[in-house]
Amino acid sequence: MIRKAKRTELIEVAQGRRPADIFIKGGMVVNVYSGEFLRQNVAIYQDAIAYVGEKDVAVNDETIIIDASEMYVSPGFIEPHAHPWVLYNPVSMTEKVLPLGTTTTVNDNLFFYLHFGVDGFKRLVHDLRKLPGNFFWLIRLVSQADFPGERDWFNEKDIEELLAMDEVIGTAEVTRWPLLYEGDPFLIKMIETAKKMGKVIDGHTAGCSYDKLNSIAASGVDACHEAITAKEALDRLRLGMWTTLRNSSLRPDFPEVIRLITEGRVSTQRITMTTDGAHPSFIEKEGFVDGLIRKAVELGVPPMTALQMATINAATYLRLDGEIGGIAPGKLADVVLLPDLVSFKPAVVISKGKIVARHGQLLAPLPTIKWDRYVSKRPFLFPKERLDDERLYRFPHPAPDRSIPVVHFKSNVITEQKDVILPSASGYADISNSEGLLYASLIARNGQWVAKGILERFAVNVDGMASTYNTTTELLVVGRKPEAMAVAAKRVHEMGGGIVVVDNNETVVEIPLPLTGMMVTDRSFATSVHYHDQLLSALRERGFPFHDILYTLLFLTCDFLPGLRLIPRGLYDVKRNHIVLPAERLYGCTLQR
């Protein structure tokens, strides 16, 4: 971290020989190091804290003096595991969460790297230095769905180049954790490289047994946020992993996992918290890290403990505790003034020595980012008219006496194979008289392949829907009417990425996502909230039975969660590691059978 304040200047402020820039007077300081609440003053000079104690320091006419006698003075909150691409983008996310007291976010780079490459991503990181707050990155070593050329794209040279950046503090979760369990040579080498550079290794071990966790810990993984029970959280803690408790839109796990603390009475020194890429409306309603603290306290965690997990614990895990995470001389001046320890909603937010928000309103300017200057890939490499071919959307079924493997949704993101007998028409499955079944096609943006499936319990009455919002960012098309599916797919093509829902060949939802096919380019967080609510409402009206449509779309095309998945290689059974129906090659985006 580059700081403006010289240490000699901080010494002078602490000794009263140089005036402070900001003097926070008489507040109850949350000392996360000692676990005490202390009535003290805090002096800030430029971007750092110079003094914490009971005496007054030198001020002048330009010093901002804040009467904090009715407030708690806390370190800024830290989100150690953010996904800044859930419709919102890094700028619009900052616009929302910084006034809520989160002064540091550590972010997954997946879709930025997939679409920008190493050079474009480096330019983005450079330009985002203008954001208020601290914006760090964790970089992916593999994608969330294997694709042809993946190991060329995620290569040793580029990853080492990104790891060398100051803003990159580690590697991101390997969602396909069996690769680590099997000791994949490339991943192990990259982890070793990152560790030698002093970087952290974030983890993802959903469904991993205690015995298998031993191998994951041995591979070098430092932390995991995937525990969904108190026992699973304890398993990770006992094996030396930093254990990140999650409460998110897809997984609101706190009532269960917080029992690790409230009932288990374990040491909390290696426990942090995350929102794990919550959808926009969840953040709008529940908050960000402030919401995690608030919920933890509601469930019985002492306020000091909750604040420690959201500040110094996270900073220590990230190896940033020498700079952030506490109120102490020499640390960066990331400070939130809290009227109470119930709502945890800041009255004032200070980041790097500047007042950036008051009473939930952002005061700091946001940079104007020209997103298209980073992109190294064109949205689509074939003309939209080729999406009129209805054979792209139909499921092959030449033998009607045989059952068809259907992707049955057990929950929001977990699926299973269900074998269904369907009639055949011209070599394709006919679902017209099967209520609740939908065609699904994942079409390569380069026009080279299509993977196909049939979905059950995704929705009931969706004529056509198309989305680049999925873990591959290819064109996912779902519906019961191929002609309507074509209309939706062509409109997404025209927009260069996004989500479209069509009824009777008329568009009823249109969400442009030109930034990697996943994000709006708007700086206002409210735009993402509006789009999310519009989409969820429209899909629920059409029979979507779950609570988080964005993660249903995102994970249908991944290759690490149980059940059948649509991935670039075809219809895939994750548990059996088996391609049920290979992807079909396209030539000029015309189906060849």
Side-chain angles (χ1 to χ4, degrees):
M1 286 180 166
I2 300 174
R3 42 168 82 235
K4 297 177 181 177
K6 297 178 182 178
R7 296 199 180 274
T8 53
E9 294 171 332
L10 297 178
I11 291 170
E12 291 172 359
V13 174
Q15 295 174 0
R17 296 187 288 116
R18 179 185 290 267
D21 291 332
I22 297 177
F23 187 47
I24 303 170
K25 189 173 179 63
M28 188 66 75
V29 171
V30 181
N31 193 308
V32 294
Y33 303 108
S34 66
E36 299 173 286
F37 294 100
L38 302 170
R39 182 73 63 184
Q40 293 178 320
N41 302 324
V42 178
I44 294 171
Y45 179 75
Q46 293 191 359
D47 57 354
I49 297 169
Y51 175 80
V52 181
E54 296 180 3
K55 76 171 187 179
D56 289 339
V57 297
V59 298
N60 61 16
D61 291 342
E62 297 180 358
T63 302
I64 299 172
I65 299 176
I66 301 174
D67 180 4
S69 57
E70 301 296 324
M71 291 186 280
Y72 294 87
V73 184
S74 169
F77 308 148
I78 300 171
E79 167 56 270
H81 184 93
H83 299 288
W85 36 251
V86 187
L87 297 189
Y88 44 78
N89 60 60
V91 176
S92 61
M93 186 182 78
T94 299
E95 185 251 0
K96 179 62 179 180
V97 307
L98 187 58
L100 298 177
T102 299
T103 55
T104 299
T105 58
V106 180
N107 303 278
D108 167 25
N109 82 328
L110 177 61
F111 298 110
F112 303 100
Y113 180 69
L114 281 175
H115 284 261
F116 299 170
V118 63
D119 293 333
F121 179 67
K122 287 175 69 175
R123 288 196 296 272
L124 172 66
V125 172
H126 178 271
D127 289 351
L128 290 179
R129 290 173 184 167
K130 301 172 185 175
L131 276 176
N134 304 308
F135 208 84
F136 294 103
W137 295 92
L138 298 170
I139 64 164
R140 295 277 184 151
L141 303 179
V142 291
S143 71
Q144 292 191 154
D146 183 24
F147 62 88
E150 178 190 22
R151 288 299 174 96
D152 294 328
W153 195 255
F154 291 86
N155 64 79
E156 184 176 333
K157 176 180 175 294
D158 288 350
I159 288 172
E160 288 182 356
E161 189 172 334
L162 294 181
L163 282 171
M165 301 182 71
D166 290 339
E167 291 87 352
V168 172
I169 61 173
T171 66
E173 58 184 327
V174 175
T175 53
R176 293 144 65 187
W177 61 260
L179 291 173
L180 294 174
Y181 181 77
E182 295 160 3
D184 180 90
F186 171 75
L187 290 180
I188 299 301
K189 184 175 182 180
M190 291 297 93
I191 287 173
E192 288 284 8
T193 298
K195 283 187 173 292
K196 288 177 181 177
M197 299 171 72
K199 310 286 182 170
V200 302
I201 312 300
D202 198 14
H204 173 115
T205 57
C208 189
S209 68
Y210 180 85
D211 285 342
K212 289 183 177 180
L213 275 172
N214 276 266
S215 297
I216 303 302
S219 75
V221 168
D222 292 315
C224 180
H225 60 281
E226 287 293 337
I228 61 174
T229 67
K231 182 185 180 302
E232 288 182 355
L234 183 58
D235 286 345
R236 284 150 179 78
L237 195 64
R238 284 173 169 169
L239 290 175
M241 292 184 181
W242 284 85
T243 303
T244 306
L245 306 182
R246 173 177 55 192
N247 204 58
S248 191
S249 57
L250 178 61
R251 296 286 335 182
D253 292 324
F254 261 21
E256 166 58 27
V257 295
I258 214 75
R259 292 174 49 242
L260 175 72
I261 301 169
T262 57
E263 298 177 15
R265 308 293 181 184
V266 299
S267 169
T268 59
Q269 286 183 319
R270 291 176 65 85
I271 297 177
T272 63
M273 302 185 289
T274 184
T275 59
D276 192 19
H279 67 56
S281 299
F282 183 92
I283 297 172
E284 183 69 23
K285 179 181 178 182
E286 302 291 339
F288 202 55
V289 179
D290 61 303
L292 297 174
I293 302 168
R294 184 163 52 250
K295 188 69 173 178
V297 172
E298 287 175 3
L299 292 169
V301 176
M304 175 60 76
T305 302
L307 286 165
Q308 287 171 323
M309 291 193 296
T311 58
I312 189 59
N313 290 13
T316 303
Y317 154 56
L318 298 166
R319 302 179 186 178
L320 296 172
D321 53 310
E323 304 287 344
I324 61 175
I327 305 291
K331 310 302 182 188
L332 279 180
D334 292 344
V335 179
V336 295
L337 303 185
L338 303 171
D340 59 69
L341 297 184
V342 177
S343 71
F344 294 93
K345 293 182 178 180
V348 178
V349 180
I350 298 170
S351 178
K352 300 176 186 174
K354 301 291 185 184
I355 297 175
V356 295
R358 286 185 184 271
H359 302 292
Q361 298 298 312
L362 183 69
L363 303 178
L366 293 171
T368 298
I369 303 294
K370 296 182 179 179
W371 298 106
D372 57 357
R373 88 181 196 93
Y374 314 113
V375 179
S376 63
K377 295 180 178 180
R378 288 170 52 195
F380 292 95
L381 300 182
F382 60 87
K384 68 176 182 179
E385 288 74 20
R386 291 178 180 169
L387 293 168
D388 283 321
D389 187 348
E390 294 184 7
R391 294 175 299 171
L392 285 169
Y393 315 112
R394 297 188 182 276
F395 191 89
H397 188 33
D401 56 326
R402 294 183 181 179
S403 62
I404 285 179
V406 167
V407 182
H408 174 80
F409 280 85
K410 295 176 64 177
S411 70
N412 218 103
V413 296
I414 302 300
T415 71
E416 65 181 359
Q417 180 172 327
K418 182 178 179 181
D419 295 325
V420 177
I421 302 292
L422 288 173
S424 176
S426 303
Y428 294 99
D430 180 3
I431 65 170
S432 58
N433 294 316
S434 300
E435 185 177 14
L437 295 187
L438 303 175
Y439 297 114
S441 295
L442 184 66
I443 303 170
R445 291 213 209 187
N446 61 14
Q448 294 182 357
W449 51 262
V450 57
K452 295 181 176 181
I454 292 178
L455 310 182
E456 183 179 55
R457 208 168 169 243
F458 173 89
V460 178
N461 299 312
V462 177
D463 286 352
M465 175 180 179
S467 172
T468 53
Y469 188 93
N470 63 77
T471 203
T472 67
T473 74
E474 309 290 358
L475 181 61
L476 175 64
V477 192
V478 175
R480 60 180 182 171
K481 296 181 179 180
E483 63 273 20
M485 296 168 71
V487 172
K490 288 170 64 178
R491 182 58 188 140
V492 170
H493 186 293
E494 291 170 351
M495 295 191 300
I499 305 172
V500 169
V501 180
V502 167
D503 268 351
N504 297 317
N505 295 345
E506 295 293 328
T507 297
V508 294
V509 174
E510 181 174 296
I511 302 173
L513 301 173
L515 180 53
T516 76
M518 301 289 291
M519 291 163 274
V520 302
T521 55
D522 200 310
R523 297 197 299 175
S524 171
F525 190 82
T527 300
S528 299
V529 174
H530 168 71
Y531 281 148
H532 168 267
D533 290 349
Q534 180 188 29
L535 178 64
L536 182 59
S537 176
L539 267 293
R540 279 181 167 166
E541 289 174 5
R542 289 157 179 81
F544 179 72
F546 305 114
H547 67 282
D548 196 332
I549 180 60
L550 293 182
Y551 274 93
T552 298
L553 291 172
L554 187 72
F555 286 150
L556 175 58
T557 63
C558 73
D559 61 6
F560 58 88
L561 288 174
L564 293 185
R565 304 282 156 184
L566 270 184
I567 67 171
R569 300 192 184 277
L571 183 62
Y572 176 60
D573 186 324
V574 175
K575 285 189 174 181
R576 292 192 296 151
N577 189 23
H578 172 68
I579 297 293
V580 178
L581 180 68
E584 301 175 30
R585 296 291 299 174
L586 300 177
Y587 298 89
C589 209
T590 300
L591 202 61
Q592 300 292 313
R593 297 193 56 79

